Amino acid sequence: FTEVHSPSIKLVLFGMGRDQQLLERLARDAGIADQVLFAGRTSRPEDAYAALDVFLLSSLTEQTPNALLEAMASGLPVVATDVGDCAACLGSEQAAFVVPSNDLSAYARAVRRLAADASLRQQLGRLNRARAEKNYSIEKMVRQYRELYRQAAAR
């Protein structure tokens, strides 16, 4: 986060893990504690997503992250590391915002680019919402499971 260097950018962390105290100390030591909000657990993730301008996924490993799909469905633009299915979920149109998991500079550039361009954030948010509805809806999942079941039963 310190790579971004912009007082207008705030980082909101949801959840409570074993590293929270370490992260709080790191934010203090880096002089950015006033830019980092530890929001804790939420029973309504949709409210959390609605409060954000950009969703950041900095995982070192994933498969198909539910949090990414939820952020997309919420109409958020995303910066994600290129792990698991993140690139496939976001599509080739967003390749500039899927960065290698070990490239902090590329990650920071992608965040700064979205932070500076409200129009781009809106465009990518709409694209993500449409991709989520088309590719990851409950209805589609049920249809696919039903078809798998039908095929298995036919054997």
Side-chain angles (χ1 to χ4, degrees), residues 71-93:
M72 291 171 64
S74 296
L76 285 170
V78 172
V79 175
T81 47
D82 191 7
V83 295
D85 296 328
C86 292
C89 291
L90 291 165
S92 61
E93 309 91 346

Side-chain angles (χ1 to χ4, degrees), residues 18-149:
R18 67 179 189 269
D19 291 330
Q20 182 170 338
Q21 289 181 339
L22 170 64
L23 293 172
E24 289 171 344
R25 183 178 54 77
L26 289 171
R28 278 192 310 276
D29 292 350
I32 59 169
D34 59 334
Q35 290 180 264
V36 181
L37 172 64
F38 291 87
R41 289 190 177 101
T42 178
S43 60
R44 295 185 42 85
E46 62 273 20
D47 293 340
Y49 293 121
L52 303 177
D53 293 317
V54 177
F55 179 78
L56 305 176
L57 184 75
S58 58
S59 298
L60 297 175
T61 182
E62 287 286 355
Q63 193 53 55
T64 303
N66 282 333
L68 173 63
L69 299 179
E70 291 169 348
M72 291 171 64
S74 296
L76 285 170
V78 172
V79 175
T81 47
D82 191 7
V83 295
D85 296 328
C86 292
C89 291
L90 291 165
S92 61
E93 309 91 346
Q94 298 186 68
F97 300 99
V98 180
V99 300
S101 61
N102 60 352
D103 192 341
L104 182 58
S105 295
Y107 197 90
R109 279 192 305 276
V111 171
R112 282 193 302 269
R113 184 173 170 202
L114 283 179
D117 192 338
S119 177
L120 180 59
R121 288 193 307 270
Q122 291 170 350
Q123 174 190 351
L124 294 179
R126 285 190 301 271
L127 179 63
N128 283 340
R129 172 73 184 191
R131 286 184 68 81
E133 288 176 352
K134 178 182 177 194
N135 298 321
Y136 303 104
S137 70
I138 270 261
E139 294 81 9
K140 182 171 184 170
M141 181 187 70
V142 168
R143 280 193 311 271
Q144 289 174 328
Y145 275 117
R146 191 174 287 139
E147 179 59 22
L148 282 172
Y149 180 77

